[in-house]
Amino acid sequence: MGKIIAIANQKGGVGKTTTSVNLAASLGVLEKKVLLIDADPQANSTSGLGLDVEAVEIGTYQLLEHANTAKEAIVNTETPNLSIIPAHIDLVAIEIELVDKDNREYMLKKALDSIKNDYDYILIDCAPSLGLLTLNALTAADSVIIPIQCEYFALEGLGKLLNTIKSVQKVHNADLDIEGLLLTMYDSRLRLSNQVVEEVQKHFNDMVFETIIQRNVKLSEAPSYGESIINYDASSKGATNYLSLAKEIINKNS
């Protein structure tokens, strides 16, 4: 049985896409079969894995419209064991187009039913909003990873996201779990970074991943080369952090 994990936070710039791409690549390197779904109209996961966003003909949009099957949308990447369902800017229109459809929150879930068992992990990179796209991801997912930036307003908006998750559990997906809160962009030299880590661990103890993603120049460079951190610089701190996170998730789910 494949496990579907959504990576969500309505705040932008917290490391959602960085986590989606690099966790997917790390799981692939650890010999798990992985599918990454780009459910963000900015399509950064797509370009971050070296695909030309403009050339995407079948992607998440067609999947949600049920115009194409998931199998038709899957593209292989250069990373071992990692495939992607890419996104294109046209995904912006999907929320308006689905608004009057029946069961509109279940479009992604239905589309993934046929391929769920072909993968060990299916990761969904969510848009930085709590709209219909993210709702589809949370309804389709078994669990959710919430990246939290080690910065001043880290916990702002977290309550709202947790309430959204609660209401999805109540109405659409009773089995949705929180896989974990992931601290990102940590800088050990900053007192603020350390305060945020303490505060999040104090409030959410067991829900927080042991792995903390540190600020790392290589991590920010990799997407501009269309590569995951594993392909770009496997010896970097960023690669070590994401491999550690992948191992933590594998151990938790084995």
Side-chain angles (χ1 to χ4, degrees), residues 113-129:
D113 276 348
S114 61
I115 59 156
K116 186 173 178 181
N117 296 333
D118 299 347
Y119 294 90
D120 296 308
Y121 292 97
I122 296 177
L123 303 184
I124 308 172
D125 182 15
C126 295
S129 73

Side-chain angles (χ1 to χ4, degrees), residues 45-226:
S45 275
T46 303
S47 61
L49 282 173
L51 275 72
D52 177 1
V53 173
E54 293 305 314
V56 171
E57 285 178 11
I58 303 173
T60 315
Y61 176 84
Q62 286 73 17
L63 198 62
L64 287 162
E65 281 273 288
H66 292 180
N68 291 87
T69 65
K71 277 207 170 86
E72 291 169 328
I74 292 168
V75 181
N76 291 327
T77 73
E78 304 209 337
T79 303
N81 303 314
L82 174 58
S83 304
I84 184 170
I85 292 182
H88 182 277
I89 188 68
D90 61 8
L91 192 54
V92 163
I94 198 75
E95 307 223 341
I96 298 156
E97 290 180 26
L98 289 181
V99 125
D100 50 1
K101 295 254 170 81
D102 288 339
N103 295 327
R104 58 184 180 268
E105 298 89 356
Y106 296 92
M107 292 301 188
L108 188 58
K109 185 179 170 60
K110 275 188 203 143
L112 296 180
D113 276 348
S114 61
I115 59 156
K116 186 173 178 181
N117 296 333
D118 299 347
Y119 294 90
D120 296 308
Y121 292 97
I122 296 177
L123 303 184
I124 308 172
D125 182 15
C126 295
S129 73
L130 294 177
L132 198 47
L133 262 173
T134 300
L135 193 53
N136 260 276
L138 294 175
T139 302
D142 298 304
S143 67
V144 55
I145 290 174
I146 303 170
I148 296 174
Q149 197 177 357
C150 295
E151 292 197 351
Y152 190 60
F153 291 116
L155 298 177
E156 198 185 61
L158 187 59
K160 205 172 178 186
L161 177 60
L162 293 172
N163 285 337
T164 301
I165 289 169
K166 271 200 193 106
S167 67
V168 170
Q169 286 166 330
K170 219 178 273 171
V171 183
H172 305 296
N173 182 1
D175 300 327
L176 181 65
D177 253 338
I178 292 180
E179 188 75 28
L181 276 61
L182 176 67
L183 291 155
T184 63
M185 303 184 197
Y186 171 74
D187 186 339
S188 58
R189 297 165 305 183
L190 298 180
R191 204 167 104 223
L192 180 64
S193 265
N194 294 306
Q195 283 172 336
V196 171
V197 170
E198 272 172 40
E199 198 175 333
V200 172
Q201 286 171 339
K202 189 176 79 192
H203 279 289
F204 298 102
N205 45 49
D206 292 353
M207 286 164 67
V208 186
F209 285 111
E210 278 175 32
T211 304
I212 294 177
I213 309 297
Q214 290 159 296
R215 270 200 188 280
N216 178 242
V217 174
K218 298 281 194 226
L219 264 184
S220 13
E221 286 174 1
S224 59
Y225 292 91

Side-chain angles (χ1 to χ4, degrees), residues 20-30 49 79-80 82 228-231:
S20 303
V21 168
N22 295 312
L23 174 57
S26 300
L27 287 164
V29 168
L30 296 171
L49 282 173
T79 303
L82 174 58
S228 73
I229 191 64
I230 304 295
N231 289 30

